[in-house]
Amino acid sequence: MAAPANEPTFRESVDLMFNRAVALMDLPPGLEEKIRVCNSTYTVRFGVRLRGKIHTFTGYRSVHSEHMEPVKGGIRFAMSVNQDEVEALAALMTYKCALVEAPFGGSKGGLCINPRDYDEHEMEQVTRRFAYELAKRDLINPSQNVPAPDMGTGEREMAWIADQYRRMNTTDINAAACVTGKPIHAGGIQGRTEATGRGVQYALREFFRHPEDVKASGMTGTLDGKRVIVQGLGNVGFHAAKFLQEEDGCKIVGIIEYDGALYNEDGIDVQSVRDWIVKHGGVSSYPDATHTAEGADVLEHDCDILIPAALEGVINLSNAARIKAPLIIEAANGPITAGADDVLRSKGTVIIPDMYANAGGVTVSYFEWVKNLSHIRFGRMQRRQEEARHQLVVDELERLDRYLGDAWSLRPEFKKKYLRGADELELVRSGLDDTMRIAYQSMREVWHGREDVTDLRTAAYLVAIEKVAKSYRAKGL
Ligand code: NAD
């Protein structure tokens, strides 16, 4: 989605936010420029014969920074894809990977296509041809450039891309690591599909662990009972909203989709809306909430937490002043323009920035890439050994239990939980939780520790740019 006409483009918006942060740093001007610019963008136009006619498609793969390789970033399928957008998204990937310490440079890809216009077989033909164009230029490669899902793509497309790369590189033992977000049977990892939404949940949990930060937003208490509005019930928005509703006691009062918004002050069941969308193609006829045709208006409704999880530029100069939520977590990339960011900051709105908030996806992608390179599932070597050691402790406790009689006994649920060694899903969740906590703490240290930093976004940029700069310096730049 293009930014409103009177506002900078998405890439310019990212640059403005970058500039605001580097103004507070002491970087040599040359290095500042080197970090900011996008290293390269490859444009491809290719034809595919569909329904007896040749269709020409345009796609992009942009590499923002190669201070670490491979570079990493999703592939988006949408009609709105353009060079400015992929470059902005590639830049965000550089900063995101640095912030969460995923050892990658930043990249992003996109194809101008509306996936709803084609059937599965046609989508496979187009995706394979796009993958072929990128792979033959090493823009898909386990050691150089590793894509992942983004808007309009998912496991299915990643499986086709992995298979296409393998066909072109039959002797590459690490072929599975050429792309992440694959289905489990094609080399994927447990927990990747929901990882970005899970990361949004972990980010909010960490925010609410710090009363000082909650106070800065003007709220009190915990996540329990907080009223949430989410925009976009796709991969990221659906999982984030579902987990917050089912596990943290949040009330989802608004859901905004491409065909309007649903609102119900008493809460909306996220899973049933998702099932409705799958069956009916949209939210407009959903029975248990009020439908508003002008979906974007609901961004301005009263709530505690606003989760834009669809497109960029949706909170801009035309509506920023009317946004009531005291806390916005940017599950999507770039949902708030630079101008809107200024307006919201001056109102005191706390914004948990995209480069942190949606980093769950790349974090679990990192685990998947490591799994593919090591050719072994996480936990396979340790799990039973861990269980055997725990059994020793339980045996001893049971001996004590017999000795103490009625005075003390081992609770059966403790025994069940303690005896189970961690499987891959539990390890992935633990790694993701740890990553989200540590990255948040690194941002808040700067946010509260420096007088010239008054928001989390600037803090995030400072932490990320410092890491990228150190890496360039170590290379002798
Ligand atoms: P998706 O395609 O699965 O879902 C997007 C949803 O937004 C869909 O349900 C779509 O119908 C809805 N939508 C489209 N236009 C809309 C509009 N005008 N108003 C409201 N809703 C609209 O995409 P996704 O993977 O969930 O990605 C969403 C955002 O999250 C993007 O900004 C993406 O870059 C970012 N992101 C995704 C991942 C990931 O792992 N998938 C990781 C990091 C960041």
Side-chain angles (χ1 to χ4, degrees):
M1 181 173 157
N6 59 341
E7 289 194 62
T9 65
F10 186 12
R11 190 183 50 75
E12 287 164 352
S13 224
V14 171
D15 285 352
L16 282 168
M17 291 166 178
F18 173 93
N19 291 343
R20 183 150 55 83
V22 287
L24 307 175
M25 298 175 79
D26 194 20
L27 290 183
L31 184 57
E32 184 182 313
E33 167 82 354
K34 173 68 208 82
I35 295 173
R36 189 179 51 75
V37 298
C38 201
N39 287 4
S40 62
T41 302
Y42 173 73
T43 306
V44 57
R45 294 183 189 87
F46 59 89
V48 183
R49 182 175 286 278
L50 302 168
R51 304 172 202 174
K53 212 175 114 211
I54 294 175
H55 294 245
T56 302
F57 295 92
T58 304
Y60 305 90
R61 186 78 183 158
S62 179
V63 175
H64 175 261
S65 175
E66 291 148 292
H67 68 289
M68 283 198 186
E69 286 186 309
V71 293
K72 190 104 192 63
I75 288 184
R76 176 176 285 198
F77 283 1
M79 284 311 288
S80 52
V81 162
N82 59 63
Q83 182 170 346
D84 184 273
E85 181 186 81
V86 282
E87 291 188 355
L89 291 165
L92 281 175
M93 282 307 298
T94 295
Y95 310 133
K96 189 180 303 184
C97 291
L99 181 66
V100 297
E101 297 185 337
F104 303 123
S107 181
K108 201 80 181 191
L111 185 67
C112 300
I113 187 170
N114 181 357
R116 288 174 219 255
D117 291 346
Y118 300 92
D119 67 26
E120 181 161 352
H121 177 63
E122 291 168 337
M123 284 309 296
E124 178 172 353
Q125 282 177 274
V126 176
T127 305
R128 282 186 181 276
R129 181 61 205 271
F130 185 35
Y132 168 82
E133 292 293 334
L134 297 180
K136 76 175 181 186
R137 292 171 176 87
D138 285 336
L139 289 164
I140 297 176
N141 182 304
S143 59
Q144 269 175 274
N145 198 322
V146 182
D150 194 75
M151 233 168 92
T153 59
E155 286 190 346
R156 185 184 71 166
E157 288 73 18
M158 300 307 115
W160 292 331
I161 293 173
D163 186 62
Q164 186 63 34
Y165 178 86
R166 195 177 286 109
R167 287 184 191 186
M168 295 166 70
N169 299 274
T170 48
T171 56
D172 185 347
I173 195 171
N174 292 322
C178 75
V179 66
T180 57
K182 302 176 292 294
I184 294 290
H185 61 266
I189 193 167
Q190 298 285 347
R192 173 61 184 91
T193 307
E194 67 271 30
T196 312
R198 182 68 76 189
V200 171
Q201 176 197 30
Y202 288 166
L204 282 170
R205 283 185 179 174
E206 183 58 18
F207 176 84
F208 278 91
R209 278 191 197 103
H210 302 279
E212 194 185 351
D213 301 6
V214 180
K215 197 170 159 216
S217 70
M219 289 190 286
T220 52
T222 64
L223 266 174
D224 191 31
K226 292 287 182 287
R227 292 165 313 137
V228 175
I229 294 177
V230 60
Q231 183 189 41
L233 212 63
N235 178 309
V236 179
F238 163 66
H239 287 110
K242 180 181 159 77
F243 297 148
L244 289 167
Q245 180 169 68
E246 291 178 359
E247 299 170 18
D248 297 285
C250 288
K251 201 195 266 187
I252 311 298
V253 294
I255 294 175
I256 308 167
E257 255 296 329
Y258 74 100
D259 63 335
L262 300 174
Y263 192 83
N264 186 343
E265 196 58 52
D266 298 327
I268 308 170
D269 185 64
V270 174
Q271 184 65 56
S272 83
V273 177
R274 173 74 165 201
D275 295 344
W276 189 271
I277 294 174
V278 170
K279 200 161 166 205
H280 302 275
V283 295
S284 54
S285 51
Y286 183 76
D288 298 327
T290 310
H291 180 260
T292 314
E294 272 312 311
D297 290 354
V298 173
L299 290 169
E300 299 165 26
H301 280 27
D302 195 27
C303 67
D304 299 307
I305 305 170
L306 180 59
I307 311 182
L311 311 160
E312 53 262 21
V314 292
I315 300 174
N316 49 58
L317 287 177
S318 74
N319 60 0
R322 294 191 303 274
I323 300 287
K324 295 189 190 68
L327 176 66
I328 305 177
I329 177 156
E330 294 183 314
N333 283 305
I336 300 178
T337 62
D341 193 65
D342 289 340
V343 174
L344 292 165
R345 264 185 296 119
S346 61
K347 283 207 308 176
T349 310
V350 172
I351 300 167
I352 303 181
D354 47 7
M355 81 168 75
Y356 165 71
N358 65 38
V362 75
T363 301
V364 177
S365 275
Y366 168 39
F367 302 154
E368 180 177 332
W369 180 73
V370 170
K371 174 185 179 179
N372 293 151
L373 293 180
S374 58
H375 300 268
I376 189 165
R377 142 171 76 75
F378 287 108
R380 182 164 175 179
M381 302 294 277
Q382 312 90 318
R383 184 174 176 188
R384 303 300 168 193
Q385 195 260 358
E386 196 186 322
E387 287 182 1
R389 288 174 74 86
H390 286 186
Q391 184 68 54
L392 285 176
V393 175
V394 167
D395 288 348
E396 277 308 287
L397 287 173
E398 281 183 334
R399 211 166 54 79
L400 190 67
D401 191 351
R402 282 192 296 276
Y403 174 73
L404 289 173
D406 286 345
W408 181 84
S409 69
L410 199 59
R411 284 177 300 129
E413 61 273 24
F414 164 81
K415 187 172 157 183
K416 200 167 142 219
K417 274 191 196 162
Y418 189 67
L419 277 180
R420 246 191 63 229
D423 60 14
E424 184 171 84
L425 183 59
E426 282 168 277
L427 292 169
V428 162
R429 286 189 185 158
S430 153
L432 176 59
D433 194 10
D434 186 57
T435 303
M436 296 308 288
R437 289 186 199 214
I438 288 179
Y440 185 82
Q441 286 158 21
S442 70
M443 289 189 302
R444 78 180 295 277
E445 234 169 69
V446 176
W447 180 26
H448 297 301
R450 283 181 62 153
E451 275 188 6
D452 54 357
V453 177
T454 54
D455 65 305
L456 277 166
R457 191 191 309 281
T458 308
Y461 270 99
L462 283 172
V463 174
I465 296 167
E466 187 58 48
K467 287 186 179 160
V468 178
K470 274 191 182 142
S471 162
Y472 272 123
R473 279 197 210 105
K475 282 174 185 275
L477 254 188

